[in-house]
Amino acid sequence: MNSTDWEFWWDGPFYRVRTHCFEASFVPNAGEALESVCNVDAFVELPDGSRWSATVFTLAEVERLMRLWAATGEEALGGRYFWVSDGLIVRDPGVRSMTEVLVGLVENGEFTSVLQLLEPDEE
């Protein structure tokens, strides 16, 4: 995997990344530094036209959210658990790091178990 061959660009609210095996669209918060992204929706389109999604969190972001919920009691039984249907937890923040994980999942075939397949009209 050679990330120097990847293309990166903004397309409205989407930060797009083209690799040798897919094109991904990330939706970071306005003004968020791309190397610090720790909680982001991502959409992956494979060469066969199939589209997949994930909400990518870092371990630190999951811990932050659970502590917040424990303090407020608002979510997840007061922060006692964490769950999202299309969640992918990664160690390191940043779009580039998250893209590296996605490339690895596609290359080793695990993406179908980790990412959620989108219907043709979803995104």
Side-chain angles (χ1 to χ4, degrees), residues 10-68:
W10 281 102
D11 180 12
F14 297 101
Y15 188 70
R16 302 208 189 262
V17 181
R18 183 175 297 127
T19 73
H20 64 283
C21 56
F22 61 77
E23 184 174 304
S25 301
F26 293 87
V27 191
N29 293 322
E32 185 174 16
L34 296 173
E35 65 276 2
S36 301
V37 170
C38 59
N39 177 347
V40 67
D41 290 327
F43 303 94
V44 176
E45 184 171 339
L46 298 179
D48 67 5
S50 64
R51 293 174 34 245
W52 303 78
S53 72
T55 302
V56 187
F57 299 90
T58 62
L59 285 169
E61 178 66 359
V62 171
E63 176 67 19
R64 184 191 73 78
L65 289 170
M66 291 181 79
R67 284 181 193 263
L68 174 67

Side-chain angles (χ1 to χ4, degrees), residues 37-40 55-62 87-94 97-102 105 114:
V37 170
C38 59
N39 177 347
V40 67
T55 302
V56 187
F57 299 90
T58 62
L59 285 169
E61 178 66 359
V62 171
L88 170 60
I89 300 173
V90 298
R91 184 172 310 281
D92 301 312
S97 175
M98 293 173 180
T99 301
E100 289 172 354
V101 170
L102 292 170
L105 291 171
V114 177

Side-chain angles (χ1 to χ4, degrees), residues 12 34 46 63 76 80 83 85-87 92 98 118 122-123:
L34 296 173
L46 298 179
E63 176 67 19
R80 293 173 51 202
W83 179 87
S85 63
D86 66 345
D92 301 312
M98 293 173 180
L118 296 173
E122 291 181 297
E123 184 170 333

